[in-house]
Amino acid sequence: MQIESQKTFSEWLSDLPKAELHLHIDGTLQAHRLLSLAKKNDIALPYSTQEQVEAAYQFENLQSFLDLYYLGASVLIDESDFYHLMMDYLLKCKEQNIVHAEIMIEPQTYAPNGVSFVTMMRGFDRAIEQAQQEWGQSVALILSFLRHLDEDQCLETLEQARAFKQSFVAIGLASAERDNPPAKFARLYRAAQSQGYRTTAHAGEEGPANFIWDSLRVLNVERIDHGVRCVDDTALLNHLIKQQVALTVCPLSNTKLCVFDDMSQHNILDLLDRGLLVTVNSDDPAYFGGYLNENFLTLHEHLSMTREQALRLVENSFKASFLNDGDKVRYLEELSQAAKAS
Ligand code: HPA
Ligand code: ZN
């Protein structure tokens, strides 16, 4: 299919209603906000200007990024900090026409700084309610666990979340993948599923293809965050195609964290054309040089992604979301109308 349009790729893409499924709220903490919150909360940082912070956005691997990411999150202390963090991102959603966002929040990151679940959730909920009322923003929250911690700590956090269960659609698993295999969290996933949570987990970003298998078979997850290492295992590839297991792929993240040497090496379009349910996402946009639209633009620029491929990727995001079937149909219809009008 050839899509005819007078618009540039960038204008055309910006105008489409989109969904984002892989986004860590702490990864949206912009340098100016980091510095202003550090000042307000009297937290010492090794940086005093925006330029110095941004100069630190050079990563060799996932761990080198996580070190800065957790340092950044340490400036979040009171309810208004969480409100501003969430509102900054939701305003980006409005600007980029991201009509539905599934957002990972990681309470285990804040707990060592004395931040309670209540403080965090009050700030996040206030921003989300405002965005829903002011421009109809759709948001689903994912309770994301840190896999460098032990499973008992995660089970305790799951218990703390009971009082807020209605705020979360799913659980996820993030942080250092190497040495922290999915099987370590089998009891956590079983407990969460029995409480009615849906499920996703990071796998096959830096870790091997068998971490994707184990996430599916041991943790029973519905979708995989990243998953780009699936190409190393033909049986796995065939399984992902047959079962239409969604992968939430993050192109700029993958090049910033050296999962691929450069964007021209990225395999997302190859996976798409083989029939996998792949989607485009930004992961930690403040650190990786772009939000959702910029992730699409880089694929257009470096991999010659066509409009037809981009449209399939956007459709996949709605299909792979945790929305109910009625909402999926409604958003897919809105997308189809927008694509026809463009
Ligand atoms: N991988 C694992 N954990 C993360 C990431 C990621 O890309 N971003 C934020 N936490
Ligand atoms: Zn991630």
Side-chain angles (χ1 to χ4, degrees):
M1 183 179 71
Q2 188 77 24
I3 297 174
E4 305 283 341
S5 172
Q6 302 299 315
K7 297 177 185 171
T8 64
F9 180 86
S10 172
E11 290 165 346
W12 173 83
L13 191 270
S14 302
D15 286 350
L16 297 180
K18 294 171 289 292
E20 169 138 78
L21 308 182
H22 182 160
L23 182 283
H24 302 260
I25 197 63
D26 296 325
T28 69
L29 181 63
Q30 298 170 64
H32 71 89
R33 182 69 72 193
L34 170 82
L35 292 170
S36 68
L37 292 181
K39 192 166 173 206
K40 173 176 93 59
N41 293 327
D42 201 16
I43 290 167
L45 291 177
Y47 314 104
S48 47
T49 66
Q50 203 168 310
E51 290 70 29
Q52 285 171 357
V53 177
E54 287 169 358
Y57 298 166
Q58 304 290 339
F59 311 111
E60 285 148 35
N61 51 32
L62 175 58
Q63 190 58 54
S64 64
F65 157 69
L66 290 171
D67 294 342
L68 184 62
Y69 170 84
Y70 293 125
L71 176 71
S74 71
V75 305
L76 298 157
I77 303 294
D78 67 27
E79 192 226 287
S80 73
D81 304 344
F82 292 94
Y83 166 83
H84 285 297
L85 179 67
M86 182 62 78
M87 189 44 93
D88 287 347
Y89 172 64
L90 296 177
L91 286 166
K92 278 282 175 194
C93 288
K94 184 177 179 210
E95 186 187 307
Q96 297 211 342
N97 210 7
I98 301 167
V99 294
H100 175 68
E102 301 195 348
I103 302 174
M104 279 179 265
I105 69 168
E106 296 168 352
Q108 291 171 311
T109 300
Y110 319 124
N113 307 324
V115 176
S116 71
F117 234 98
V118 176
T119 299
M120 171 194 79
M121 288 307 292
R122 279 206 186 120
F124 285 153
D125 280 345
R126 186 153 64 87
I128 293 167
E129 276 163 29
Q130 190 181 333
Q132 281 166 342
Q133 280 167 13
E134 286 184 12
W135 64 89
Q137 182 66 48
S138 167
V139 173
L141 295 183
I142 298 172
L143 177 61
S144 175
F145 291 89
L146 305 184
R147 68 200 303 159
H148 63 267
L149 301 177
D150 65 38
E151 191 183 33
D152 285 335
Q153 284 173 279
C154 295
L155 282 161
E156 270 171 41
T157 304
L158 184 67
E159 269 315 297
Q160 284 171 9
R162 261 188 202 276
F164 305 91
K165 170 70 192 64
Q166 74 290 345
S167 298
F168 297 100
V169 69
I171 66 157
L173 191 60
S175 188
E177 188 179 7
R178 285 190 185 135
D179 302 325
N180 294 298
K184 182 177 160 188
F185 300 97
R187 285 184 301 142
L188 174 71
Y189 272 71
R190 226 175 297 126
Q193 276 154 348
S194 74
Q195 290 180 31
Y197 286 93
R198 304 192 63 182
T199 50
T200 182
H202 283 56
E205 177 189 19
E206 280 194 342
N210 71 305
F211 279 18
I212 302 175
W213 272 128
D214 284 354
S215 300
L216 296 171
R217 289 175 171 164
V218 182
L219 304 184
N220 248 313
V221 300
E222 295 175 62
R223 71 186 191 211
I224 298 285
D225 295 316
H226 293 296
V228 290
R229 294 266 44 93
C230 67
V231 284
D232 299 338
D233 183 330
T234 309
L236 174 61
L237 265 181
N238 291 335
H239 177 83
L240 297 175
I241 295 167
K242 187 154 177 246
Q243 299 300 323
Q244 287 292 282
V245 177
L247 304 185
T248 64
V249 178
C250 308
L252 286 171
S253 166
N254 291 155
T255 47
K256 271 295 214 179
L257 301 188
C258 308
V259 171
F260 294 94
D261 290 341
D262 62 74
M263 200 55 81
S264 64
Q265 310 282 308
H266 205 289
N267 63 9
I268 184 169
L269 296 186
D270 183 37
L271 297 176
L272 178 72
D273 290 339
R274 286 180 192 223
L276 278 89
L277 190 66
V278 284
T279 65
V280 176
N281 306 273
S282 68
D283 207 7
D284 303 286
Y287 293 90
F288 298 153
Y291 287 77
L292 187 58
N293 286 355
E294 289 76 25
N295 272 273
F296 278 97
L297 292 179
T298 194
L299 297 177
H300 181 61
E301 188 181 334
H302 295 279
L303 290 172
S304 305
M305 178 179 66
T306 65
R307 294 181 193 208
E308 185 274 338
Q309 287 172 315
L311 185 56
R312 269 196 287 151
L313 288 162
V314 179
E315 283 166 1
N316 285 352
S317 302
F318 289 111
K319 289 180 187 163
S321 71
F322 291 130
L323 287 165
N324 64 40
D325 287 346
D327 285 336
K328 284 187 190 182
V329 169
R330 182 167 59 82
Y331 281 120
L332 285 166
E333 184 54 32
E334 279 176 26
L335 174 62
S336 158
Q337 294 300 333
K340 274 188 205 138
S342 63

